[in-house]
Every structure is written in C-alpha cells, then in structure tokens.
Amino acid sequence: LHYYNKKNIHQKMRFFALVSFAVSAVAYSPSFSRRDAVRSLVTGGVVVATSGTANALDVCNPKANNCVFSTWTPPSGTSRKDAIKDVRAVIEAYPQAGQADVDGGGWKIANDDLESTGMARIEYSSSGKGFFAKSFNGGKPFVDDLNIEIDSNGSVKCKSQSRIGDSDFGVNGKRLAYLAAGLKSKGWGI
C-alpha cells in the first residue's frame, strides 16, 4: 500500500509538471497555442516547435451567423511580398469612421506578423451607439476580429468574426466585401 501511494504521488507530480510546462509555453510563446499545449500533454510533454506558417486559420462553423470566411487569390505572378503589400494597403485604406453603417468605432491592428508568419489580426469596433450595444452590451462597442493568413504563394485566407452574440446582422460580410472590393480593383480573384 505504501508503494502504491508513492507511485500515485509521482504520477500526479508528473502530470502537474506537464500542465505547468504547457501553461508556461502558452503564456510565453506567441506561436504556441492552447491546442499545442493540450497536444503536448497528450503526447507526454513532447513539444514540437512549429514555424508559424499559414494554413492554420479555421473556417467558420456552418451554423454560425456571426462569422464570415473568405479566400482571395492574387493576380498570377504576384510575389508573396507584393501580396502582403496589397493586403496591407487595403486594410489601411479602410475608413476609421467605418463604412456602410458598420465599424463606426474604428479599427486597430492588434497583431501584425504578415512578413514573418503571414498572419495578422485586426480589431473592428462598432460605435456603441446602436440599440443592441446600449441594450445588450452596456453601451460599449461590439468588437469583431479579422484574422488574415497569407501563404507562401500569396493567397489569402481571412475570417471575420464577432466576439459575442449569435448574429452580426451582416457586419462581417460588409467588412469583407469592402476589403475584397479593394483587392479586386487590383486584379485579385475574390
């Protein structure tokens, strides 16, 4: 009985050490996701570093009414560097005052790793003045995230999603349509 208890304690200590390691990795490494942390626990704590390449963006849940996913293709012969330049120009041309009655609270680039990993995240805010913001969000603006990934050949995957709520009343679609129109005018496939 005494041996069993020691063995059980050692198993628990190993488990908590692995959990601590996984949590630390998530906290201190921007390229180490919660999914990677769980995977490391399942594989006994073996962690495989990834290069942070694109193609990790998940599509929207088919039943989601607050998420839009799209893929954009650059004109033939466009380098990845030029594709990044085009995408960045379209993002920066988006009006801070919003457009088509959406994003009246402006936007900010929250994470920009386009040159290294091909990923970026932009936060868009509603004005906070509408009925739903006043009634359901304490008068605070709703915030949506636009995640962008550019792969090695310049193709772009983007996902615009509301952080809260079951519906976005078409806001994410309007946002992506505006950005897509800017790229389409540069010869991109939408």
Side-chain angles (χ1 to χ4, degrees), residues 94-95 97-105 125-126 169-172 174-175:
Y94 196 89
Q99 52 82 34
D101 295 324
V102 300
D103 301 328
S125 297
S126 71
F169 299 101
V171 169
N172 289 293
K174 289 178 183 179
R175 181 180 305 120

Side-chain angles (χ1 to χ4, degrees), residues 10-173:
H10 288 295
Q11 287 175 340
K12 287 179 181 178
M13 288 174 56
R14 182 172 182 245
F15 173 76
F16 287 117
L18 290 172
V19 169
S20 297
F21 172 75
V23 169
S24 297
V26 170
Y28 295 109
S29 174
S31 65
F32 197 78
S33 68
R34 286 180 283 185
R35 184 179 295 156
D36 293 328
V38 171
R39 189 177 299 125
S40 75
L41 288 173
V42 171
T43 60
V46 177
V47 179
V48 178
T50 60
S51 64
T53 57
N55 300 326
L57 191 62
D58 294 329
V59 297
C60 300
N61 180 330
K63 296 180 182 178
N65 294 319
N66 64 351
C67 182
V68 178
F69 184 91
S70 187
T71 303
W72 303 327
T73 309
S76 180
T78 303
S79 68
R80 182 175 187 265
K81 183 177 177 179
D82 287 338
I84 290 170
K85 187 177 175 182
D86 284 351
V87 169
R88 190 179 304 284
V90 168
I91 290 169
E92 291 173 355
Y94 196 89
Q96 277 292 339
Q99 52 82 34
D101 295 324
V102 300
D103 301 328
W107 57 272
K108 68 178 181 177
I109 297 174
N111 185 349
D112 183 355
D113 292 323
L114 288 176
E115 279 77 14
S116 58
T117 65
M119 298 180 185
R121 183 173 60 86
I122 299 94
E123 295 177 354
Y124 293 86
S125 297
S126 71
S127 67
K129 297 176 184 176
F131 170 78
F132 288 102
K134 289 178 182 175
S135 301
F136 299 108
N137 207 30
K140 298 176 190 170
F142 289 104
V143 179
D144 298 345
D145 294 302
L146 172 64
N147 290 288
I148 295 176
E149 291 186 353
I150 302 177
D151 66 19
S152 60
N153 65 5
S155 292
V156 176
K157 291 181 182 176
C158 53
K159 179 179 179 180
S160 187
Q161 183 171 15
S162 303
R163 289 186 182 173
I164 61 172
D166 293 330
S167 177
D168 67 357
F169 299 101
V171 169
N172 289 293

